[in-house]
Amino acid sequence: MDTITDPSINVMPRIGDRAPEFTAQTTQGQISFPSDYAGKWTILFSHPADFTPVCTSEFMTFATMQQDFQRHNTELVGLSVDGLYSHIAWLRTIKEKIRFRDMANVDVTFPLIDDVSMKVAKKYGMIMPGEAETQAVRAVFFIDPEATIRAIIYYPLSLGRNFDELLRVIKGLQTADAFNVALPADWQPGERVIVPPAGSCGTAQERMEGTTEGIECEDWFFCTKELSAETIAKKIHR
Ligand code: BEZ
């Protein structure tokens, strides 16, 4: 069956679903997903192909930021529908030959899944035939320590991802969980956060009258409070 008529490519895990399980060979040995990552956040991401320039720039960027993600208890797992020997040769070439921006000699130490069979890519809805029948798109799954999918971002083949945004998503999800708040557009740690609906933090009237400490309301449905970057860091950094 060709990719375009294969119904299994239409599987699309959703936010709130449990991360589909699989075992796979990777550049760091065999993994059982998500069980090997219990207790950690994981970013499972796909790229279209080894030995391609946008993907190379992405891997160099992700590998260089790996410690920032690990400080947020987050591990990275890559995937493409290439085989293990291709992955190994590509990562060696990146380390030995490629310079990009201020990055050189970049060692990619997070696992990169061999998915020649497309078994994993299909389970995660990473094959989008309208974009490419034989390659994965740039999918990003944010999976929490209980193996629940918490956010998903897809990019097309021609556009490299913004890795500061991926880190912001991790910080935002962890901050929302830890402090029972929501985060407004373009939020960065240290900026005011949105407090939950009236009831959990004073009544709507108390908030509007300013009698609920620290909470400022523009209207009954739009209330914010300060949450310092230091307070967040104390709770969610390793
Ligand atoms: C790239 O990573 O450069 C790339 C991969 C597939 C299609 C187009 C670009």
Side-chain angles (χ1 to χ4, degrees):
M1 197 181 308
D2 65 12
T3 324
I4 209 136
T5 55
D6 177 355
S8 69
I9 63 160
N10 293 325
V11 174
M12 298 281 286
R14 291 162 298 190
I15 291 174
D17 288 353
R18 190 179 160 77
E21 292 176 5
F22 62 85
T23 56
Q25 199 54 245
T26 81
T27 49
Q28 303 292 324
Q30 179 148 315
I31 61 168
S32 296
F33 197 88
S35 54
D36 286 353
Y37 295 87
K40 290 179 179 294
W41 288 77
T42 321
I43 296 181
L44 175 66
F45 69 101
S46 57
H47 70 277
D50 298 346
F51 293 100
T52 52
V54 177
C55 301
T56 298
S57 69
E58 290 191 319
F59 266 65
M60 293 177 77
T61 308
F62 228 166
T64 303
M65 292 175 69
Q66 189 175 359
Q67 283 189 338
D68 297 326
F69 286 93
Q70 286 175 332
R71 283 181 64 225
H72 291 83
N73 189 29
T74 301
E75 297 297 331
L76 312 176
V77 180
L79 173 150
S80 78
V81 301
D82 299 295
L84 191 59
Y85 295 107
S86 167
H87 286 341
I88 291 168
W90 178 47
L91 298 186
R92 189 189 304 134
T93 306
I94 288 176
K95 181 169 165 59
E96 291 176 356
K97 291 199 178 155
I98 309 294
R99 281 181 292 162
F100 173 63
R101 300 205 174 111
D102 56 353
M103 297 176 281
N105 196 30
V106 173
D107 214 357
V108 176
T109 59
F110 55 79
L112 174 50
I113 294 169
D114 165 343
D115 195 31
V116 170
S117 68
M118 296 193 184
K119 178 185 80 176
V120 181
K122 286 177 183 174
K123 274 193 170 187
Y124 276 84
M126 293 167 169
I127 305 293
M128 301 197 170
E131 177 74 352
E133 280 188 54
T134 56
Q135 296 177 320
V137 295
R138 301 181 197 282
V140 190
F141 287 83
F142 300 82
I143 298 165
D144 75 13
E146 282 78 45
T148 301
I149 296 172
R150 298 291 302 278
I152 306 171
I153 305 179
Y154 286 101
Y155 284 65
L157 269 52
S158 56
L159 178 63
R161 286 161 276 211
N162 181 322
F163 290 85
D164 290 331
E165 171 62 5
L166 304 192
L167 185 55
R168 192 188 77 95
V169 171
I170 286 288
K171 290 176 183 174
L173 291 169
Q174 294 182 357
T175 300
D177 286 358
F179 296 94
N180 190 28
V181 293
L183 294 325
D186 298 332
W187 172 85
Q188 294 288 346
E191 294 177 357
R192 294 184 75 82
V193 299
I194 310 257
V195 295
S200 46
C201 284
T203 63
Q205 192 180 354
E206 283 166 347
R207 291 160 156 217
M208 286 304 292
E209 288 167 355
T211 53
T212 307
E213 204 181 331
I215 295 180
E216 286 174 15
C217 294
E218 304 301 316
D219 203 338
W220 61 269
F221 67 92
F222 195 109
C223 299
T224 65
K225 68 174 183 182
E226 276 188 15
L227 181 58
S228 73
E230 294 72 32
T231 307
I232 296 170
K234 266 191 211 145
K235 202 152 180 185
I236 69 176
H237 282 179
R238 301 239 112 190

